[in-house]
Structure formats: structure tokens, C-alpha cells
């Protein structure tokens, strides 16, 4: 079972602001580790408070905030940023 990775408009804009190297690292992480796994929750952590329902993945100093849609087998990337300010 493979999961499909989809990108929110906001996340695409944030990804374009990153260095090419960081962008490649994030895309490779999502494709290789998350999309090809039976349970994408295995590698992430659930968020709480105002971000409840979303999941966080770590790729170097960057965090990938996603919504997991089980009924469609889709992982929607909603935000990407450096770990110090991604949760703001």
C-alpha cells in the first residue's frame, strides 16, 4: 500500500523559499520513507492544541506539518519550515 503525497498551496510557496538542498532532502524523505510505508504515523508525532489533528515529520532542521487522510490514502503537506518558527 502506497500513500500519495499532496501539497497545499501555502506549503509549496514555503518549500520554494528553502534552499535547493533542503527541498530535495524533504521531498526524498516524503517519497522514500512516508509514501512507501504501511503506516505513515510510525515516523511522525501527533500535534496538540491548535494544531490537533495534524502530524509532524522531521527532516534535518526542518519540520513538515501534514494532515493524514486515511480514507483516500493521502498525506497532505500543509506547512514546511525551520524548526524554530514552523509552529508560529
Amino acid at each position: 500500500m502506497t500513500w500519495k503525497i499532496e501539497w497545499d498551496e501555502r506549503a509549496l510557496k514555503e518549500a520554494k523559499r528553502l534552499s535547493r538542498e533542503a527541498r530535495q532532502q524533504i521531498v526524498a524523505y516524503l517519497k522514500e520513507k512516508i509514501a512507501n510505508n504501511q503506516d505513515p504515523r510510525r515516523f511522525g508525532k501527533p500535534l496538540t492544541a491548535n494544531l490537533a489533528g495534524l502530524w509532524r515529520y522531521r527532516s534535518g532542521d526542518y519540520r513538515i506539518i501534514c494532515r493524514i487522510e486515511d480514507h483516500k490514502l493521502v498525506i497532505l503537506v500543509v506547512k514546511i519550515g525551520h524548526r524554530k518558527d514552523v509552529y508560529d
Side-chain angles (χ1 to χ4, degrees):
M1 168 168 55
T2 60
W3 290 76
K4 184 177 179 185
I5 306 292
E6 292 183 357
W7 293 76
D8 184 67
E9 295 280 332
R10 180 177 171 186
L12 280 175
K13 287 180 184 178
E14 291 167 346
K16 288 179 183 178
R17 287 188 217 129
L18 301 177
S19 69
R20 182 178 181 191
E21 203 173 90
R23 217 174 23 245
Q24 288 174 341
Q25 180 184 12
I26 289 169
V27 169
Y29 176 81
L30 288 171
K31 283 183 181 178
E32 295 168 12
K33 252 195 170 161
I34 307 302
N36 292 325
N37 201 297
Q38 291 279 39
D39 184 17
R41 290 173 177 84
R42 186 173 139 204
F43 297 102
K45 287 189 176 184
L47 296 176
T48 58
N50 62 335
L51 297 175
L54 299 176
W55 285 76
R56 169 195 60 97
Y57 296 102
R58 236 171 60 179
S59 179
D61 286 339
Y62 294 92
R63 300 300 179 260
I64 309 159
I65 310 298
C66 299
R67 173 172 286 115
I68 299 174
E69 300 174 356
D70 292 302
H71 59 284
K72 293 195 254 179
L73 293 179
V74 169
I75 298 170
L76 177 65
V77 179
V78 294
K79 189 169 184 173
I80 294 178
H82 193 273
R83 64 188 174 98
K84 68 180 177 184
D85 54 18
V86 74
Y87 304 108
D88 295 337

